[in-house]
Structures are given as structure tokens and as C-alpha cells.
Amino acid sequence: MASVSTPFTISLHQRKSQSNLLRQTRLLIRPIKASSSSSETTPPPDLAVSTRTESTKDLPIRPIPGNYGLPIIGPIKDRLDYFYNQGSQEFFKSRIRKHNSTIFRVNMPPGGFIAENPQVVALLDGKSFPILFDVDKVEKKNLFTGTYMPSTELTGGYRVLSYLDPSEPNHSKLKNLIFFLLKNSRTRIFPEFQSTYTTLFEIIEKDLAANGKANFNTPGDAAAFEFLARSMYGKNPMDTKLGSDAPKLISKWVLFNLHPLLTLGLPKLVEDSLLHTFRLPSSLVKSDYNRLYEFFLESSSGEILNEAERLGISREEACHNLLFTTCFNTWGGMKILFSNLVKRIGRSGTKIQIRLAEEIRSVIKSNGGEITMRGIEQMDLTKSVVYECLRIEPPVASQYGRAKKDLVIESHDAAFKVKAGEMLYGYQPFATKDPKIFEKAEEFVAERFVGEEGEKLLKYVVWSNGPETENPTVENKQCAGKDFVVLVARLFVVEIFRRYDSFDIEVGSSPLGSSVNFTSLRKATF
């Protein structure tokens, strides 16, 4: 989805017209409506400049500060700082302070025997970050997980869509297949979401009554997969050999894909040696993956795989891509986003929660007691809360791109020359919490995107590998399911507040997203 933005300084390539298929596929989600060295020179004309709205003539061109340290030692030191000695936030903040720059050179994990070259140019502000969306200037081939790529043995021997650059022929075929999948499921989304999440909250209520608190993550993960299977493929996993095992199987498989980037709370030396130095053997998860593959092969065997063949994709390759898109991108994104929504709204307090309940119930009542797309578009605060969660805690924190040509990239304060072939890295939470773009940037402000001025800020919400104000196409790398994710996140908030006036939570840590327990649920009283 998985697989963010700023003052749009990047000169994005001239967009080609969207295909009829994409126009049919997009779910209608409109914007919210109101109720070291200092040599200073200008860039030479042969360098592509990354900014759109500001000229570089007033910005000094600086050498990129920072260095990569000694071979072997430098990458290991940076890796230990990133995971253990400092943590990701302080890792970047300390280097910004040291270099007095939001653009600098650094090693990104994992390095070692997993990633041959960990050297990147980090882009840590909202002005420089969007260069990573411009596929005229950066290549995205095999960069979905950064400086390393998991073995294709984890995806049936295929490089799946997330690892393809738009210039590769299969990219447009596979992305069109995902657009078809979304279009094909559009009539099932609302009823299947309401049915699945009604059951989820019944489970949570029983658990809360019995134990005094109720974990959201475990039943929430199961509900997310059941909803995706039923809405996208018309198949209830409980009626198949897969049963209730999907979340467990997916989590193990995701661990084998992402272990170089995760911490699990093990002793530092043990964990770093086990997870960040060598690849875990893919054979250890092969049988789990095959069970998932068999489910998707059976569930998509009709019109979806027929469409794949029409597009020129083999049924086998299509099925591996559908599995990855559904389980890694979409289910993984919902797992992180939904727990973060519960956390952020829970921490916002009763006042915001009551306002959400009032808005949601009022709109549902005015639409004949039904949850409709038209009604959701009228829920300004609900939409703003979802965007604010995606801004402050994007599901995918990192973006990578390799410079296709010599570039000049601008931060707010300076310009920097980047050579063709260099790896660019953006840590998204720093771009979307840039204080030069957002007031109270570190705070969760529920109504941030309400009204005309709030709507203008949507171009800086870039969780989807592109601005919220732009659309995914076969020519770019923006998440094909961008609008689907925003829609189901809104539906999730609606399902909470049509049932409850407010709730309380306790929050813990988790390798992916947040660990959340409900400690109270106050049922609707109006």
C-alpha cells in the first residue's frame, strides 16, 4: 500500500491523460469542503532543478554535508544508532542539528551482508521530499524496501508491482489489474465493511466486559483480512481451507520481507545479528506463503484472472501480485492505520470524540439512516481526522529513489547538487511534520483540514507516495489504492461513532503500528 508532501516545490513531469479504466476505478473521494561549506552560486543550466514554485537564484548551493564513515564500520555505527542507541527520530534530528541542514549524507540500514550499498542522501523536509515522486528524475526499480530488496522467492519468483519502475512494461499491466480489482469490488465495499466491523465490535465488547479491557489488534487484523477477502474477491476465508489463519501467516511472511528494517525487542546484539546482518531463509516461510497463494488462486480464478490474461499477464504472475497487493500493501496498511486511528482519536479526548459522534449520526440520519458515499462526503471533521492521522503517522515512513540525472535539490534554506546514480532517501514523518508548512506540526489537530484553508494543506499529505490532491496512474508510483484506503479509514471512524459516544484506551509498542487496548466503550446515548 501499503507503500506524502510539502510546499510543492517539485517540478513533477507533465502528466499523461488517465485511461478510461482508471477513471472508472477511482472511488469518489472529494477534497473537504467548508460547513558545511558555503560556496554560493546558481545552478548551471544543465542541472535539473527539483523545485517548482521557487527559483534557486536566491538560495546558496552548498556541498551536501555529512559522510559515510569508514567502510564496514560507518554503516554498522549508523545502523546501531538508528535502531538502538538513538531510535529513528533522534537519529535524524541529531544529524540535522549537527549539519544545520535537512539534507545530508548518511548510511541507512541494514547494510552489512543484506544491502551492498547503504549510502544515501537524506531529504528531511517538506520542500525536498517530493522529488521522490517525480519518475522523470528518479528511478524506483527494486527500491520499495530501500537499499535492499527481499528475495523473489518470497513472491513466487516474480518481481511484483511494488518493485517495478513505471518505465518497465509490466508496470502498467499490473497496475491496471489492480485498478480493475478495485473497480470490480466497489459495490461490495460498504455492505461488507459494515457486516465485518459489526462483528468486530461485538467481539471487543464481550472481551471488554469479561476482562476489563479488550485488545484491538488481534481481532482487528482478522476483521481487516476478512473484509478484504469478501469485498475484493467475494470470498469468506472461513469457508475455505485458509480459515482464520491468514493474519498469522501474513505476519510471518511480512517479517521475512521486512526483518532488516524491524526491531522486535530482543537483546540488541542478538537481534542485530539475527535480523539486520543476514537474510532469513525464505524456505522457512514457503509453506505459509503457499497456503495464502492457494486461497488467492481459488478466489480470483474467475473474471479477475481472465482480465489479467487479457492484459497480457500470466495467471500465476497475476495471482502472486494480487496476494502481495492485498496482504502486504492493503492489509498491512490497514493494520497500521486503523490502530493508529484508535490511538490518535482516543488520545484526543472526549470533546473531539463527541463532535465526531454528533457529525456522523447527524449525517446518517439526514441520509435516511444509511451510510452512503454522499453522506461520507458531508462529514468534514471525520475526513479531516483521517487525513491528520495519515499526516502525523504515515503507514509507510520511508521512500527511496535513484537519481536518473544530475539534479539540484532544494531545501527551505539551500540547494544541493546530486549526481546521477545517487540514492535519495526521504523519511516521511519529517516531511509531513515540517514546521515551515504546518502550524503545531507535532500535534494531532483533528480539524486541521476542515474549511478552505485546511483544504489547501491537502497537497502536503503524501502518505500514498504522492500528493493527496493528485491521482495514481500507470505512469507514476502513487498507491493504486489511495482512494480505497482513505475511504475505508473513514468508514472505520464512522463504525466507531455510530455505536459509541466516546472511548478510552491504553497504548503499547508494536513492530508495525501501535498496540492498542480499549479500556472503556461508552455506548451511544443520542
Side-chain angles (χ1 to χ4, degrees), residues 26-77:
R26 278 202 77 228
L27 292 166
L28 179 60
I29 299 180
R30 302 182 187 90
I32 297 173
K33 302 298 181 185
S35 138
S36 297
S37 171
S38 61
S39 67
E40 299 187 10
T41 182
T42 54
D46 58 325
L47 291 181
V49 179
S50 72
T51 59
R52 175 193 295 168
T53 59
E54 297 180 26
S55 168
T56 58
K57 66 181 181 181
D58 297 323
L59 289 174
I61 288 189
R62 294 179 54 191
I64 301 174
N67 61 74
Y68 303 116
L70 296 173
I72 302 177
I73 296 174
I76 292 176
K77 180 182 182 303

Side-chain angles (χ1 to χ4, degrees), residues 184-204:
N184 195 53
S185 65
R186 66 189 185 278
T187 60
R188 295 190 293 264
I189 292 172
F190 277 60
E192 294 296 357
F193 194 94
Q194 188 168 351
S195 172
T196 303
Y197 281 82
T198 293
T199 302
L200 168 66
F201 284 110
E202 289 173 351
I203 292 170
I204 289 173

Side-chain angles (χ1 to χ4, degrees), residues 422-439:
E422 289 198 89
M423 182 77 83
L424 307 177
Y425 166 78
Y427 187 63
Q428 194 164 164
F430 277 47
T432 54
K433 292 188 286 188
D434 187 332
K436 294 189 177 182
I437 296 170
F438 294 101
E439 294 182 6

Side-chain angles (χ1 to χ4, degrees), residues 302-520:
E303 56 187 330
I304 299 172
L305 292 185
N306 289 341
E307 175 67 13
E309 289 186 321
R310 190 191 71 78
L311 290 168
I313 309 165
S314 73
R315 298 172 80 86
E316 180 181 349
E317 182 174 9
C319 190
H320 287 293
N321 274 273
L322 293 168
L323 190 163
F324 193 92
T325 294
T326 306
C327 296
F328 195 108
N329 298 134
T330 314
W331 180 86
M334 290 175 67
K335 172 184 175 68
I336 296 170
L337 177 57
F338 282 21
S339 61
N340 286 344
L341 277 166
V342 173
K343 177 181 72 175
R344 293 293 176 179
I345 296 172
R347 287 176 170 175
S348 293
T350 302
K351 183 177 179 181
I352 289 296
Q353 293 177 28
I354 292 294
R355 286 177 58 193
L356 285 165
E358 290 173 341
E359 176 184 80
I360 287 165
R361 292 174 208 168
S362 173
V363 170
I364 291 175
K365 183 178 179 180
S366 67
N367 283 272
E370 299 292 326
I371 300 171
T372 64
M373 181 64 79
R374 176 185 175 185
I376 285 177
E377 287 302 311
Q378 296 169 345
M379 300 176 185
D380 291 348
L381 181 61
T382 302
K383 292 188 288 184
S384 180
V385 162
V386 169
Y387 285 134
E388 179 69 343
C389 191
L390 288 166
R391 178 195 74 86
I392 202 166
E393 205 163 7
V396 178
S398 299
Q399 297 289 346
Y400 288 82
R402 190 177 301 281
K404 288 183 174 180
K405 50 191 170 185
D406 291 354
L407 303 170
V408 171
I409 298 178
E410 294 185 3
S411 68
H412 293 294
D413 307 310
F416 303 86
K417 295 179 183 179
V418 170
K419 292 189 175 299
E422 289 198 89
M423 182 77 83
L424 307 177
Y425 166 78
Y427 187 63
Q428 194 164 164
F430 277 47
T432 54
K433 292 188 286 188
D434 187 332
K436 294 189 177 182
I437 296 170
F438 294 101
E439 294 182 6
K440 300 180 180 179
E442 296 288 338
E443 297 180 24
F444 183 87
V445 180
E447 53 278 286
R448 186 183 297 276
F449 298 101
V450 172
E452 185 177 349
E453 291 304 310
E455 183 178 324
K456 292 177 182 178
L457 293 172
L458 287 175
K459 61 184 176 181
Y460 307 127
V461 178
V462 290
W463 65 273
S464 62
N465 200 15
E468 190 62 32
T469 50
E470 297 188 13
N471 302 320
T473 72
V474 295
E475 291 90 17
N476 64 28
K477 287 300 290 181
Q478 191 164 27
C479 174
K482 173 177 84 80
D483 294 333
F484 174 84
V485 172
V486 173
L487 174 61
V488 296
R490 294 175 184 174
L491 287 173
F492 178 65
V493 178
V494 169
E495 287 301 316
I496 293 175
F497 288 105
R498 73 185 190 92
R499 287 178 170 79
Y500 311 109
D501 289 345
S502 60
F503 62 87
D504 296 309
I505 56 168
E506 61 182 24
V507 179
S509 60
S510 172
L512 293 173
S514 304
S515 174
V516 181
N517 290 319
F518 286 101
T519 57
S520 73

